[in-house]
Amino acid sequence: MTDAQPKIWVINGPNLNLLGQREPHIYGHQTLKDIETGLMDQGQGLGLRVECFHNNHEGGLIDLIHSAPAAGVKWIIINAGAYTHTSIALRDALAGVALPYIEVHLSNVHAREAFRHQSYLSEKAAGIIVGLGSEGYRLALEYISRKR
Ligand code: DQA
């Protein structure tokens, strides 16, 4: 792995650390660690430097996003969990750093409760992948590898 490889941050928000045990009929049986390990392996194969983060706190996610440009990040893949539906601050942070990002949700949020149909992040996202389980992150990475 070299520094010439584009750096991609995969950011997971609240409660996604519970994957594997959390409502597996909705979110599947893979743990977050399984998903992250798979993405880092995939990144290696694609020549991308994938770094994964999880934070349960809105401010922590915002601070992380703010630090992305100085860290040399080229793209962000983000599953902001429930903050997707509530956080104007997270939307502003992503807009503020002006990095392209892909919004991912494991479940099909549009087939669930009405409050999950609204996303503060979607409008400014390069793309959105919902309902394909952990495959969504993989597809996002594949897309980025073709765009760079
Ligand atoms: C989620 C969907 C959100 O509505 C929910 O709050 C989550 C997970 C998903 O990946 O399907 O925490 O982002």
Side-chain angles (χ1 to χ4, degrees), residues 98-120:
L99 288 172
Y101 66 92
I102 299 177
E103 176 184 347
V104 171
H105 298 285
L106 294 147
S107 64
N108 179 357
V109 284
H110 300 289
R112 300 181 63 197
E113 301 95 325
F115 62 81
R116 295 186 205 277
H117 300 177
Q118 146 75 10
S119 164
Y120 282 111

Side-chain angles (χ1 to χ4, degrees), residues 54-84:
H54 165 262
N55 200 309
N56 278 323
H57 307 280
E58 192 174 19
L61 291 166
I62 291 166
D63 287 343
L64 181 63
I65 291 164
H66 287 179
S67 71
V73 173
K74 297 293 179 232
W75 277 81
I76 292 174
I77 298 171
I78 184 162
N79 182 350
Y83 288 140
T84 305

